[in-house]
Amino acid sequence: MPTFRIVVMLKPGVLDAPGQAVARGLAALDFPAAQVRMGKVIELDVADDQVHRLDEMCARFLANPLIETWEIARRPEPSPVAGGGPDGGASDGTSAGAARVREAGT
């Protein structure tokens, strides 16, 4: 079954209160960011005969079409190399730091 990553973001012009809160928090920690937009990432394993319905899934359930947009991308197969991805990160595309955090929290 192929895996798809769906990124849902607020449309431009829609108030992004969580993004503003993160921007203020980063600035307070001396990590200023010109703009922060918060969204959500959804990963789905979908049967081959249902791939054509991904956009419908987003429009009807995973996102609110009035205020959100979405992008659908097929995830590449994991790298068969035992050492991780080409950038030294984990083979699932995360950075090595993110992989360490995830392992520590489990």
Side-chain angles (χ1 to χ4, degrees):
M1 249 185 257
T3 300
F4 289 86
R5 176 173 282 179
I6 301 167
V7 178
V8 179
M9 299 293 293
L10 288 170
K11 288 182 177 180
V14 175
L15 178 65
D16 186 354
Q20 290 176 344
V22 168
R24 285 191 303 272
L26 288 171
L29 295 171
D30 200 26
F31 297 112
Q35 180 179 351
V36 177
R37 304 282 297 165
M38 297 291 291
K40 54 190 168 189
V41 175
I42 303 158
E43 288 195 0
L44 297 171
D45 292 335
V46 181
D48 289 329
D49 63 342
Q50 295 297 307
V51 170
H52 70 282
R53 300 187 68 197
L54 283 169
D55 196 59
E56 180 185 359
M57 290 178 201
C58 291
R60 293 183 61 192
F61 185 71
L62 299 175
N64 179 345
L66 297 176
I67 62 169
E68 294 175 315
T69 61
W70 57 88
E71 294 179 13
I72 302 168
R74 187 179 191 134
R75 292 270 327 261
E77 295 297 320
S79 173
V81 178
D87 62 351
S91 61
D92 65 354
T94 62
S95 70
R100 281 194 299 272
V101 170
R102 193 170 315 122
E103 290 171 1
T106 57

